[in-house]
């Protein structure tokens, strides 16, 4: 190998090695496997207010499996779509299997989502969905309890939106996390998965 070739090949090899190492580090850091947490650490105590203005905690939902979803009423598409899908699944389970499973819709935007706002918003969906809100601190605690994510994002017009976890949690009768529910399939298929897991 000539000196000129060596001067080209060695820096190029070092650059490619660094690029591969950077890619591996990014994959390990950013993929769900890199951030995986034990199922037993998802869920737990919370103290919030339901959409009727009544104080509730995780204790009020023990004894029966239930679903949990984080969102907010100003959400343009993901939240209403997910709540509609959940409504279809809950109705299917009730009508075909005779089981009434509840779902919790926990707001990540407590400043705007009062109990009254949640009650009006949820009137468009299945009445087995319970809206939960609270103080910003109480909501932040619930988000952490479920290992979820929520972040306020300013908009150009001075308003804001929220980025948040969009998983539907399946919780068992003891309030333990079982799995995420894929609500995008046919209600019969999603309902079958839900019933199989609880």
């Amino acid at each position: 190998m000539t000196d000129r070739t060596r001067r080209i090949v060695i820096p190029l090899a070092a650059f490619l090695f660094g690029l591969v190492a950077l890619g591996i580090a990014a994959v390990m850091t950013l993929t769900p496997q890199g951030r995986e947490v034990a199922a037993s650490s998802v869920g737990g105590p919370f103290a919030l207010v339901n959409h009727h203005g009544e104080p509730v905690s995780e204790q009020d939902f023990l004894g029966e499996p239930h679903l949990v979803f984080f969102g907010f009423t100003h959400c343009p598409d993901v939240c209403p779509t997910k709540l509609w899908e959940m409504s279809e699944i809950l109705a299917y389970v009730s009508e075909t299997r005779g089981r009434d499973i509840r779902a919790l819709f926990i707001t990540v935007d407590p400043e705007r989502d009062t109990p009254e706002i949640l009650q009006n918003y949820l009137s468009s969906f299945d009445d087995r969905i319970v809206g939960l809100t609270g103080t910003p601190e109480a909501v932040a605690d619930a988000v952490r309890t479920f290992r979820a994510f929520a972040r306020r994002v300013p908009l150009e017009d001075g308003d804001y939106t929220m980025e948040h976890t969009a998983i539907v949690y399946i919780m068992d009768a003891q309030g333990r996390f079982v799995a995420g529910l894929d609500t995008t399939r046919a209600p019969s298929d999603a309902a079958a998965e839900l019933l199989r897991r609880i």
Side-chain angles (χ1 to χ4, degrees):
M1 182 181 296
T2 66
D3 286 343
R4 183 174 184 279
T5 304
R6 188 178 292 112
R7 284 196 304 271
I8 295 171
V9 171
I10 292 175
L12 181 60
F15 171 76
L16 291 175
F17 177 79
L19 193 62
V20 169
L22 182 62
I24 291 170
V27 168
M28 292 179 67
T29 303
L30 299 176
T31 58
Q33 292 81 6
R35 294 178 288 138
E36 192 170 322
V37 295
S40 60
S41 69
V42 177
F46 61 80
L48 298 169
V49 177
N50 69 19
H51 63 262
H52 298 296
E54 303 162 337
V56 296
S57 75
E58 77 289 347
Q59 296 294 318
D60 295 293
F61 305 100
L62 299 183
E64 288 291 335
H66 53 279
L67 303 177
V68 176
F69 176 69
F70 288 88
F72 65 116
T73 62
H74 285 69
C75 184
D77 44 31
V78 172
C79 297
T81 299
K82 198 64 68 177
L83 288 169
W84 180 82
E85 292 168 351
M86 290 165 61
S87 295
E88 293 287 296
I89 295 164
L90 296 176
Y92 186 89
V93 169
S94 177
E95 293 165 8
T96 64
R97 304 296 177 90
R99 293 191 65 177
D100 281 334
I101 296 174
R102 289 189 290 179
L104 311 183
F105 175 60
I106 304 178
T107 183
V108 295
D109 186 14
E111 293 180 27
R112 293 186 292 200
D113 289 344
T114 63
E116 296 77 18
I117 294 292
L118 281 173
Q119 186 172 21
N120 182 60
Y121 183 74
L122 291 174
S123 66
S124 300
F125 304 101
D126 192 281
D127 60 11
R128 285 167 282 248
I129 300 176
V130 179
L132 299 181
T133 187
T135 65
E137 295 77 18
V139 168
D141 286 345
V143 169
R144 282 191 293 272
T145 294
F146 282 86
R147 302 296 190 268
F149 166 80
R151 183 170 71 94
R152 181 171 170 152
V153 179
L155 299 175
E156 291 182 1
D157 61 2
D159 200 359
Y160 68 91
T161 189
M162 300 294 296
E163 291 181 349
H164 61 92
T165 302
I167 185 175
V168 175
Y169 299 75
I170 302 174
M171 309 300 290
D172 70 12
Q174 288 74 46
R176 298 173 302 201
F177 175 66
V178 177
L181 178 64
D182 179 4
T183 63
T184 62
R185 297 170 297 166
S188 58
D189 294 338
E193 179 193 347
L194 172 60
L195 292 168
R196 188 167 58 248
R197 291 186 177 275
I198 60 175

